[in-house]
Amino acid sequence: MRKKIVAGNWKMNKTIAEGLQLVDEILAGSNDDSVLKIIAPPFIHLAAVADKLKSKEGFEVAAQNCHQAAGGAFTGEVSAEMIASTGTNYVIIGHSERRTYFGETNQLLAQKVAMALANNLIPIFCLGESMEDRNANVHLETVKQQLKEGLFSLLPADFSKVIIAYEPVWAIGTGVTATTHQAQGMHNFIRSEINKKYGKDISENTIILYGGSCNAENAKELFACLDVDGGLVGGASLKANEFLAIVNSF
Ligand code: PGA
């Protein structure tokens, strides 16, 4: 049985006071321990949020990125080891905003994944096609390449720790969600590629989240798809009631 997960990616939103208040509101309204709730605040809030959620059943914390190097002269960057030292256990890697605005390539992301795993962080690896890819009917090819170059160099034991988030770029922050047909189709494709590379056991146990304008209205039908194990949520994770409504959508 794969774990059900809803992860809230706050992106570059919330002051520390606002963030801690949001966490308090989520904690107060949360009543379902069968769903793992992952909160991904900005780096600067990680220690405080991790501290607050430390002994809370069903909650984890994620960073939104990490650097590929172990440490050193990289002004302004944050290492996987530093993230782990805050009590954070997860890290989002390869979000489309990182790929688009910060030029992160599959090759670079493979290094980040390796560094995260070396520091016992669980990577939430994001992938997904652009609208141009989908219109040109090369979306499967794009995602296959992202999987191959970003993750498929991992040994099976390491790959089996990774969570995947399918986030079609055209659905992120646009209000346009993938249809259940599109989401299930791609999740199933991803699982079949994992099956080819790592075998049935690992493919059936890999958690694959959907992201892209996921909200309280559409989460239920998306989460009902056979190969959709939950969501990576941006905008709708910034309000406790919306986030919790998504959590309650399984
Ligand atoms: P969105 O963002 O829910 O605001 O579309 C999702 C994401 O970027 O992870």
Side-chain angles (χ1 to χ4, degrees):
M1 227 341 223
R2 295 187 296 269
K3 212 183 289 175
K4 296 170 184 156
I5 297 180
V6 176
N9 173 12
W10 293 1
K11 309 193 180 185
M12 197 171 73
N13 292 294
K14 303 283 177 195
T15 63
I16 183 74
E18 290 165 351
L20 291 176
Q21 187 183 334
L22 175 55
V23 172
D24 279 336
E25 288 169 9
I26 291 171
L27 279 171
S30 172
N31 53 16
D32 187 353
D33 284 348
S34 68
V35 179
L36 177 63
K37 295 151 288 275
I38 303 178
I39 310 278
F43 282 135
I44 198 165
H45 306 347
L46 279 180
V49 172
D51 206 43
K52 211 179 237 311
L53 295 175
K54 199 159 45 193
S55 48
K56 298 286 187 286
E57 197 67 33
F59 282 91
E60 285 285 354
V61 182
Q64 298 174 16
N65 177 31
C66 70
H67 197 267
Q68 65 277 15
F74 299 102
T75 301
E77 290 294 324
V78 176
S79 73
E81 185 184 20
M82 292 174 198
I83 292 166
S85 76
T86 67
T88 296
N89 294 321
Y90 291 74
V91 58
I92 297 171
I93 291 178
H95 190 280
S96 87
E97 287 147 21
R98 301 291 320 169
R99 292 173 184 263
T100 305
Y101 304 140
F102 302 94
E104 297 193 354
T105 61
N106 291 327
Q107 288 72 17
L108 175 78
L109 298 174
Q111 293 174 39
K112 292 190 178 208
V113 167
M115 188 52 69
L117 288 167
N119 286 280
N120 297 318
L121 293 175
I122 297 176
I124 301 172
F125 186 82
C126 302
L127 40 68
E129 82 285 359
S130 65
M131 194 40 112
E132 293 79 63
D133 288 340
R134 192 162 271 272
N135 287 340
N137 204 25
V138 295
H139 48 296
L140 298 180
E141 222 25 68
T142 298
V143 167
K144 187 172 173 174
Q145 181 122 348
Q146 290 168 332
L147 276 171
K148 185 166 163 244
E149 296 178 355
L151 293 178
F152 281 1
S153 303
L154 292 172
L155 296 171
D158 277 334
F159 180 84
S160 55
K161 295 174 189 152
V162 175
I163 294 170
I164 292 175
Y166 168 58
E167 300 203 303
V169 179
W170 46 269
I172 297 176
T174 57
V176 180
T177 317
T179 63
T180 51
H181 183 72
Q182 289 169 326
Q184 171 56 24
M186 186 60 90
H187 282 232
N188 183 261
F189 173 75
I190 291 169
R191 209 176 291 292
S192 70
E193 288 301 304
I194 297 170
N195 185 14
K196 276 193 234 160
K197 171 74 187 170
Y198 291 106
K200 192 159 177 271
D201 265 15
I202 290 183
S203 76
E204 284 185 354
N205 283 310
T206 302
I207 295 168
I208 309 177
L209 307 178
Y210 168 80
S213 297
C214 181
N215 59 37
E217 275 75 57
N218 57 37
K220 221 181 193 71
E221 57 176 23
L222 285 164
F223 295 175
C225 297
L226 200 61
D227 288 296
V228 177
D229 303 311
L232 177 55
V233 184
S237 74
L238 296 173
K239 291 205 177 104
N241 56 353
E242 282 188 48
F243 183 70
L244 288 167
I246 296 171
V247 169
N248 292 326
S249 296
F250 287 95

